Amino acid sequence: MKIGQLALISHVKVETVRYYERRGLIPNPPRRESGYRQFSQKDVERIRFIKHAQSIGFTLNEITELLSLKVEPEATCGDITLRIDAKLNDIKSKIKTLVQMEKTLMKLKKACKTPNAPSEECPILESLNTELE
Amino acid sequence: MKIGQLALISHVKVETVRYYERRGLIPNPPRRESGYRQFSQKDVERIRFIKHAQSIGFTLNEITELLSLKVEPEATCGDITLRIDAKLNDIKSKIKTLVQMEKTLMKLKKACKTPNAPSEECPILESLNTELE
DNA sequence: ATTGACTCTATACTTAGGTGTAGGGTTTAT
DNA sequence: ATAAACCCTACACCTAAGTATAGAGTCAAT
């Protein structure tokens, strides 16, 4: 199939497919005489893999790594699990940060008892001037 | 004080101070004859404000907005609270996404029962090829 | 055989928040 | 008075993951 159809099926833009190829995420496809890329079902799967991996938080660099682990003969399933664990740690720490932000924001919000007061003397803005715990 | 000292006190780089000035986050400072910027304690506070606001998740664009609300005469404390609420929603939705990723990753992790199996047949990679629920 | 839709390459642009560099001028301490 | 340390502007570069564009060539249907 041609690039347009692959893109359509895979719900990505044509430029994204070419971008993935440039990044080495998709094997260089064979070409017609005209230079047109010829894709196959394998490429549809490959893009699905990439998109799924992205949706669980992997970057394209990390996905490149996962894909090469897949073909390295000495790589084991345990090696994959290691990457999963690392990503779990990433995500946990992001959650932690966000939860802390949430807490601080809720505390700040409560600081405002007079919604009609001029913003100039808003206790929220004032506390941003000094300390945040 | 000169830019280097402001940067030192504020724990930011000199270039960052100039960058904030370019973005309009810091008022244009007066200059000496030589062209050197002259900063004051107010600017230290301003950078503190920016850094605190960043640490609770506001972008520099949003901080610019907060700063202008602060000086608009008709703006009220309630207007500030609105921004806090919007940011709280942002953050909640980011947390939600991350928690979902975490769940999926943990499920994937459990799928691997044979850590020494070759990665080629790793059930984790296989599920990325097909479906993720 | 021509038109419209598709594809090709190469290059630049996007967002966000900076960071780094080149090529100069200034200040300060000795 | 000279050297180190600082400051100036203007510009390019960085990451991440694309998106957009120009200018050219190709394919499919009428």
Side-chain angles (χ1 to χ4, degrees):
Chain A
M1 78 187 79
K2 289 187 283 179
I3 197 169
Q5 209 195 336
L6 173 61
L8 188 72
I9 294 177
S10 306
H11 308 289
V12 298
K13 301 244 161 77
V14 166
E15 294 79 23
T16 303
V17 176
R18 289 197 276 248
Y19 174 66
Y20 285 173
E21 181 187 340
R22 275 203 304 287
R23 299 253 335 213
L25 285 156
I26 291 177
N28 285 20
R31 305 288 187 121
R32 294 198 198 181
E33 302 262 308
S34 61
Y36 281 26
R37 292 165 177 82
Q38 279 285 48
F39 292 102
S40 73
Q41 195 55 32
K42 281 263 170 213
D43 300 301
V44 177
E45 271 168 51
R46 175 62 65 102
I47 292 180
R48 201 154 51 202
F49 183 98
I50 296 167
K51 286 293 160 191
H52 285 160
Q54 275 188 315
S55 77
I56 54 177
F58 287 99
T59 65
L60 294 184
N61 275 337
E62 291 164 340
I63 294 167
T64 305
E65 224 184 298
L66 287 178
L67 286 167
S68 58
L69 278 180
K70 201 172 176 175
V71 297
E72 266 173 44
E74 325 93 68
T76 65
C77 209
D79 293 328
I80 308 293
T81 310
L82 281 180
R83 316 295 153 137
I84 301 278
D85 280 334
K87 188 48 63 181
L88 266 170
N89 286 337
D90 275 15
I91 286 180
K92 276 179 188 154
S93 106
K94 279 184 188 156
I95 292 175
K96 222 178 211 169
T97 304
L98 287 167
V99 166
Q100 182 52 52
M101 289 176 177
E102 194 188 13
K103 268 192 202 162
T104 306
L105 281 164
M106 289 193 302
K107 198 178 296 174
L108 281 181
K109 191 181 161 184
K110 278 188 209 131
C112 176
K113 312 240 183 273
T114 53
N116 293 317
S119 58
E120 214 186 334
E121 42 194 79
C122 176
I124 295 175
L125 296 183
E126 256 156 56
S127 50
L128 289 177
N129 261 330
T130 59
E131 277 321 302
L132 279 183
E133 8 89 55
Chain B
M1 77 187 77
K2 288 187 284 180
I3 197 169
Q5 210 195 337
L6 174 62
L8 189 70
I9 295 176
S10 306
H11 308 289
V12 297
K13 301 244 160 79
V14 167
E15 295 78 24
T16 304
V17 176
R18 289 197 276 249
Y19 174 66
Y20 285 174
E21 182 188 338
R22 276 204 302 287
R23 299 251 338 210
L25 284 156
I26 291 178
N28 285 19
R31 302 289 187 120
R32 294 197 198 180
E33 303 262 307
S34 61
Y36 281 25
R37 292 166 177 82
Q38 280 284 47
F39 292 101
S40 73
Q41 195 54 33
K42 282 263 169 213
D43 300 302
V44 177
E45 271 168 50
R46 175 60 66 101
I47 292 180
R48 201 154 50 203
F49 182 98
I50 295 166
K51 286 293 159 191
H52 285 161
Q54 274 188 316
S55 77
I56 53 177
F58 286 100
T59 66
L60 294 184
N61 276 337
E62 291 164 338
I63 294 168
T64 305
E65 224 184 296
L66 286 178
L67 286 168
S68 58
L69 278 180
K70 201 173 177 175
V71 297
E72 266 173 44
E74 325 93 66
T76 66
C77 209
D79 293 328
I80 309 293
T81 310
L82 281 180
R83 315 295 153 137
I84 301 277
D85 280 334
K87 189 47 63 181
L88 267 169
N89 285 337
D90 275 15
I91 287 180
K92 277 179 188 153
S93 105
K94 278 183 187 154
I95 292 175
K96 221 178 213 168
T97 303
L98 287 167
V99 167
Q100 182 52 52
M101 289 175 176
E102 195 188 12
K103 267 192 202 163
T104 306
L105 281 164
M106 290 193 301
K107 198 178 295 175
L108 281 181
K109 192 183 161 182
K110 278 188 210 131
C112 176
K113 311 237 182 277
T114 54
N116 293 318
S119 58
E120 215 186 334
E121 42 193 78
C122 175
I124 295 175
L125 297 183
E126 255 157 54
S127 50
L128 289 176
N129 260 331
T130 58
E131 276 322 301
L132 280 183
E133 6 90 53

